[in-house]
Amino acid sequence: MTEDPRLILLDPRDNVLVVRARIRAGDVLAVEDASVPAEKDVPLAHKLARRDIRAGEKILKYGAPVGVATADIPAGAHVHVHNVRSDYTPTYTLDSQKGDAA
Amino acid sequence: MTMQGWLRSDGRKGIRNAVAVAYLVECAHHVAREIALPLREDGVHVIGFPGCYPNDYAQRMMEGLCTHPNVGAVLLVSLGCESFNKYGLERVVRASGRPVKTLTIQATGGTRASIAEGRAWVAERKAELDAMPTVDMRVDELVVGTVCGGSDGTSGITGNPAAGRAFDLLVKAGAACIFEETGELIGCEHIMASRAITPELGLVLEESVAKAAKYYATLGYGSFAAGNADGGLSTIEEKSMGAYAKSGASPISGLLKPGDVPPRGGLYLLDVVPDGEVRFGFPNINDNAEIAELIACGAHAVYFVTGRGSVVGSAISPVVKICANPETYRRMSDDMDVDAGRILEGKATLDEVGREIFDLTVGLGRGGRTRSEELGHQEFILTYKSFEPIGPSCLPAVA
């Protein structure tokens, strides 16, 4: 069980933790038994890997599969559209369009 | 716990006593809006259908909305040459005992004359409605819907499960509650089906989600906006798991399609995805399309859970905005009725916020108004769709 108050484990089966308060790059996170520095800023309600996740593994949140890892994801890393895909329909984002506008 | 409502001839009661001004083609929209303008802040609401081609779904939606318990009188605004069956709609409204008039712009002499005649009629009806006595109304006479929009990673943790707790309290008190958006239940179909009150209904629930998955796959997009990803949601099935929490934990009593009114209390799924081949585009072009469909099913009020921060309300029925994200709440608190983000910060429990939402709902029948009502929001949209009628296993037997 994570003890880090900035992270929530929604279901004991999950391999991700949900960020409950903004994380800054370099913050040291207590993920399971390890201490991991945050690789980048992570906004509220995004997900971090609870343990090492291999490419092809299901992402489990609420105890249910919510997608598949498209790359190996180390414990503590940001789990999102860059390393997860849907089993149903592709996820649409404006990330490639933002440029200087964001 | 007693509320005050306005009794309609079909036995249903409204928590609002609005005049609906309904345009029957976009060409009549401006005139309808101008007719409503002087009393816009005083319970005169504009609804309508923009298309010039007839559509059974739109006809049924307009019938459901114009005879909604929150509506006391109806002015239909026709250009004159559109194909909408205004005669049929007027007959349905008249049969419901409500005052109704069809104003045809081409026959009345154009914009100016139509606005003047329409405003005079609306003002007279409004005065009559204001003098209409109220009656006691119980919680088991309520119909409440729920949607989520502008969802983010907080929605499924705070706002949606809190709305679900409020639904559990309402269903326990005998009310009818409707959740919806089968396109946002993709991935939850088996868990959901296991909550159906009959095995036959369970199959119908699974089929409705399979239909949604196929429909969205054909269109090439899931029911997922770019902002959902900014808010931490990575896939449609992750969004679905969060959205599903709005349904609470009650058994599922039936499946409705837009315009079907729940026959008794209990929890219902509203299937908003059209039947048959893919036609007319996206099933839910925006949140207000879904809100209008819930209201056409008789919803007196609609819960709207938002993480990113939606500001919308609706014509006809109040929209209760439940803000899931504490950062959004701090930025947009004027627009929000409930601060469910407190749950994330450890300042409130799901049960406490669920009870707060329930109490606020009952308060709407005792003079309470929502933030979106106070701010004058009356969004409304209705577009083309096609549905088959619901099958025999969709509704519970009525004792």
Side-chain angles (χ1 to χ4, degrees), chain B residues 112-127:
Chain B
R112 206 180 301 274
S114 301
I115 293 170
E117 189 175 331
R119 282 184 179 178
W121 191 86
V122 166
E124 285 168 25
R125 297 296 85 71
K126 178 70 187 134

Side-chain angles (χ1 to χ4, degrees), chain B residues 364-375:
Chain B
L364 294 175
R366 308 172 73 163
R369 302 214 323 152
T370 65
R371 290 295 177 91
S372 51
E373 285 183 295
E374 296 285 352
L375 291 164

Side-chain angles (χ1 to χ4, degrees), chain B residues 45-194:
Chain B
H45 296 184
V46 176
I47 62 172
F49 180 63
C52 193
Y53 302 89
N55 180 251
D56 290 342
Y57 156 82
Q59 190 83 24
R60 190 153 191 263
M61 283 287 293
M62 290 293 278
E63 289 174 4
L65 293 161
C66 290
T67 59
H68 187 282
N70 286 352
V71 172
V74 180
L75 178 66
L76 304 176
V77 186
S78 159
L79 175 62
C81 45
E82 75 275 8
S83 298
F84 194 96
N85 180 359
K86 60 186 171 187
Y87 310 105
L89 179 57
E90 185 183 310
R91 268 195 298 277
V92 166
V93 180
R94 194 173 303 287
S96 79
R98 288 169 177 80
V100 58
K101 175 187 171 74
T102 303
L103 185 64
T104 301
I105 297 169
Q106 289 166 351
T108 307
T111 300
R112 206 180 301 274
S114 301
I115 293 170
E117 189 175 331
R119 282 184 179 178
W121 191 86
V122 166
E124 285 168 25
R125 297 296 85 71
K126 178 70 187 134
E128 291 164 8
L129 292 180
D130 288 348
M132 188 177 165
T134 57
V135 296
D136 287 349
M137 182 171 172
R138 301 180 313 268
V139 173
D140 64 82
E141 296 175 294
L142 272 178
V143 180
V144 179
T146 182
V147 292
C148 49
S151 295
D152 70 12
T154 65
S155 301
I157 302 172
T158 63
N160 287 335
R165 301 290 167 101
F167 261 24
D168 292 342
L169 293 170
L170 284 164
V171 168
K172 205 171 153 200
C177 291
I178 311 171
F179 71 111
E180 53 87 63
E181 192 43 293
T182 43
E184 294 172 10
L185 294 167
I186 291 170
C188 309
E189 55 272 22
H190 303 302
I191 316 173
M192 183 167 70
S194 69

Side-chain angles (χ1 to χ4, degrees), chain B residues 347-362:
Chain B
K347 295 174 187 163
T349 65
L350 276 176
D351 282 330
E352 285 164 357
V353 177
R355 169 60 66 176
E356 180 185 329
I357 298 167
F358 175 86
D359 290 343
L360 197 152
T361 309
V362 174

